[in-house]
Amino acid sequence: MENTQRGSVLIVAMVLLLAMTLIGMAGIEVTSLEEKMVFNLRDRQAAFEAAEAALLQAEEYLDETPSVSLPAFAGGTNGYYEAGLDTCNEDASESLLWKKTWTDGCFITFTPDSDDEFSQLAALPRFVIEELEDEQKDDSLLAGATKGQFVFYRITVMARGLTNTSEVRLQSVYKIKH
């Protein structure tokens, strides 16, 4: 009897090994991508939670401080801006304060309750408080109010997550009885 085998088992085994290697490499790539996605989601969520905490702090500050004791909004510095005034930021390409890049001295930095709170963030959240002009108040804000009864403030918060790649900006309109 003559042996006519030519190594076909070896070729089949090599093809199967190559296919399994390609599947394994694709699995590693998918896992790596999912890991990046989860980290980015965590980064953005940390920024969002920090922005919410800073927004709450700004609202509490406005709520607890009598309007006569609020810092002078004239001049638009240190994070407080009177209606329609923005002299602190040099970004002339953008007309809206809350969309601009905020420079030092133009914002208020969030102060956490404890040192370890928010310590993993790339930077502490920042916020600005603007007094709104009458033209900026829509009907939903004025519902149930008589003219001059309330003072309206726009609070804008900017927070970074665990890295500088994520940024969240939140905004709230807060009214205080005059």
Side-chain angles (χ1 to χ4, degrees):
M1 254 212 260
E2 193 175 313
N3 193 351
T4 58
Q5 291 182 358
R6 306 255 185 234
S8 62
V9 173
L10 180 61
I11 293 172
V12 170
M14 293 297 281
V15 168
L16 287 175
L17 186 60
L18 178 65
M20 290 173 55
T21 301
L22 291 175
I23 290 171
M25 296 279 285
I28 290 171
E29 193 170 322
V30 166
T31 303
S32 175
L33 180 63
E34 287 177 354
E35 186 178 338
K36 289 177 186 175
M37 290 168 40
V38 167
F39 182 75
N40 287 338
L41 182 64
R42 179 177 171 236
D43 193 18
R44 187 187 179 293
Q45 186 65 29
F48 183 77
E49 289 173 6
E52 279 189 321
L55 186 63
L56 182 63
Q57 185 178 75
E59 289 175 351
E60 287 174 350
Y61 172 75
L62 286 172
D63 208 26
E64 293 171 359
T65 308
S67 58
V68 293
S69 300
L70 285 172
F73 279 65
T77 57
N78 299 322
Y80 301 98
Y81 298 89
E82 67 182 321
L85 182 65
D86 172 19
T87 59
C88 196
N89 292 285
E90 303 300 324
D91 189 0
S93 64
E94 183 56 60
S95 62
L96 298 172
L97 171 65
W98 60 273
K99 286 185 174 182
K100 293 185 176 195
T101 303
W102 300 343
T103 55
D104 287 339
C106 295
F107 55 83
I108 303 161
T109 303
F110 168 74
T111 47
D113 293 334
S114 65
D115 290 339
D116 61 338
E117 197 176 29
F118 302 106
S119 63
Q120 292 183 351
L121 297 177
L124 285 174
R126 306 164 173 180
F127 58 90
V128 294
I129 300 174
E130 300 171 86
E131 185 178 1
L132 292 182
E133 295 177 313
D134 287 335
E135 304 86 53
Q136 295 173 307
K137 302 171 193 165
D138 63 16
D139 292 338
S140 67
L141 292 176
L142 299 173
T146 58
K147 190 166 180 78
Q149 183 180 7
F150 293 101
V151 179
F152 293 86
Y153 298 97
R154 178 189 301 133
I155 304 166
T156 306
V157 178
M158 188 274 295
R160 298 213 183 269
L162 305 172
T163 65
N164 279 322
T165 58
S166 68
E167 178 181 296
V168 172
R169 290 195 187 206
L170 294 181
Q171 199 169 69
S172 173
V173 174
Y174 203 72
K175 71 179 180 179
I176 299 176
K177 194 164 185 131
H178 205 346

